Amino acid sequence: MRAVPLELKQANAFVERLHRHHPPVHRDKFRIGCEKDGKLVGVVQIARPVARGLDDGKTVEVVRLCTDGTPNVCSFLYGRAARIAREMGYQRIVTYILDSEIGSSLKAAGWRFDGMTDAKSWDCPSRPRQTKAPVCAKQRWIKQWTETSKPGCGAKMED
């Protein structure tokens, strides 16, 4: 497996074709593909956190992770996304998975479970929206680094 850069259009086309419960994103900060034997087998897209309370300029969120089912691609992409976010100077990366998912790929990539969210829609009277994501409780997973840690200087990621 190897990481490859992708354009937004390429990542969104992959998500459109294979993601089980989310549509493509409108924008992101960066995205990474995973190739195996010259074939694109997975994508991860990283953006600003959806929740305003986490959008502190030091945090990014995995907003899409999609594979064709090739083994170990999810953990490969979660690990690579965290490493690149850290190299870019971010202090924390978060993601959400459905309550029914077990999080094996996140555990394998060194992320930690950070709690459950309530089942709710983003739709509200002051800002009506269509909710395209499943409305159910979700697990939040996180990987963070200390504020003083610098990549390449022996800094360690939190377990």
Side-chain angles (χ1 to χ4, degrees), residues 24-156:
V25 299
H26 294 289
R27 68 180 70 79
D28 59 21
K29 284 191 174 277
F30 67 95
R31 68 221 61 84
I32 309 158
C34 176
E35 276 188 357
K36 184 171 182 180
D37 301 325
K39 177 186 174 201
L40 185 65
V41 295
V43 301
V44 63
Q45 293 177 271
I46 296 82
R48 291 173 56 183
V50 175
R52 286 184 291 178
L54 294 177
D55 193 8
D56 57 6
K58 300 171 187 171
T59 303
V60 287
E61 180 177 330
V62 172
V63 291
R64 295 291 182 278
L65 188 131
C66 182
T67 78
D68 67 357
T70 301
N72 304 316
V73 173
C74 289
S75 54
F76 174 85
L77 288 170
Y78 278 128
R80 196 55 64 108
R83 185 180 316 152
I84 290 170
R86 180 176 171 224
E87 290 289 334
M88 291 176 72
Y90 291 102
Q91 294 175 1
R92 175 170 61 173
I93 186 168
V94 300
T95 196
Y96 298 85
I97 62 173
L98 300 179
D99 186 34
S100 59
E101 297 175 313
I102 58 175
S104 298
S105 297
L106 288 154
K107 290 176 195 171
W111 293 52
R112 72 172 172 83
F113 175 71
D114 192 48
M116 296 297 296
T117 66
D118 293 330
K120 66 176 186 175
S121 167
W122 287 103
D123 183 41
C124 61
S126 63
R127 189 166 179 204
R129 314 173 226 200
Q130 277 190 328
T131 299
K132 298 173 185 168
V135 179
C136 62
K138 294 184 181 71
Q139 303 172 46
R140 182 168 65 195
W141 289 75
I142 186 171
K143 195 159 194 179
Q144 67 184 37
W145 311 270
T146 62
E147 287 189 36
T148 58
S149 66
K150 301 239 188 287
C153 298
K156 293 184 180 175

